[in-house]
Amino acid sequence: MTAKPNIKTIFITGASSGFGLATAKAFAAKGHKIIAAARRHERLEQLRQEFGDNIYVMTLDVTSETKINQAIDSLPIEFSNIDLLVNNAGLALGLAPAHEASLADWHQMVDTNIKGLYLMTRKILPNMVKRKAGHIINIGSIAGSYAYPGGNAYGATKAFVQQFSRNLRADLLGTQVRVTNIEPGLAETEFSLVRFHGDQDKADKVYENTQALTAEDIARSVVWAFEQPTHVNINSIELMPTSQTWAALAVDKVQG
Ligand code: NDP
Ligand code: 8X3
């Protein structure tokens, strides 16, 4: 069966929680076909139960090249022409200074936020270029532009996402394939629960007494960037809650 022309096929990594889940729901509510990928199968299954067969559940760890290739090569034909890839799967682990941080945490952030993102992109991009249509929306972070204590490897992975997005645009000139990097600030999701290795009290404190962005705020920006006319490429969107801004540069004063 061929899809109606206005119905798009949208691949979202990290669709089991936070931004990815909200983005999947926003596009599914508009009638689009969603490939919802993440490691937690049961969460994705709930999404499929809510929206039906327009959701294709893909249990996937984006750090594995073999699993990405197998999963994408076996997509049903009606989900195989991807119009939008949302590279959202990612995480921060820990907030320790660099000289005390866990190397295992660093490896996992690099494997997910950098390697997972470029493996997904490299796999899906050729068919977009062939079809002369498509859009890749990467989820970066303000942490890719602004340094903060404990941001070390996490911020560096998001700096990769920022520059990779720009370099993709340079390579894709003339292909009609669009690339956007969305760079959110503080947003309340499971992000801090993951960062603090499941410590709910620590995670709650991050969002206490302030109005953070919501997952739906980010989903709205993804939908907006995608829905621009195809001659418009939104290069980047940086958004923060109104309650967040930059701090002054830090200076170490010698005690005298
Ligand atoms: P959540 O923890 O709520 O969601 C993260 C998602 O990533 C989950 O669906 C998780 O699914 C998925 N994921 C993690 N590792 C893997 C993996 N190896 N393979 C497949 N999926 C994976 O956090 P957010 O929604 O906040 O985070 C989404 C993105 O937004 C991340 O890239 C994050 O860095 C970024 N971001 C978050 C901000 C915030 O303040 N919340 C601000 C700026 C950017 P599962 O565990 O089921 O695999
Ligand atoms: C998440 C935003 O400021 O917690 O990318 O690093 S921050």
Side-chain angles (χ1 to χ4, degrees), residues 19-37:
F19 304 168
L21 178 60
T23 303
K25 287 185 174 183
F27 280 123
K30 286 170 170 270
H32 295 302
K33 293 186 293 180
I34 312 294
I35 301 159

Side-chain angles (χ1 to χ4, degrees), residues 10-26:
I10 297 171
F11 196 137
I12 303 168
T13 65
S16 60
S17 171
F19 304 168
L21 178 60
T23 303
K25 287 185 174 183

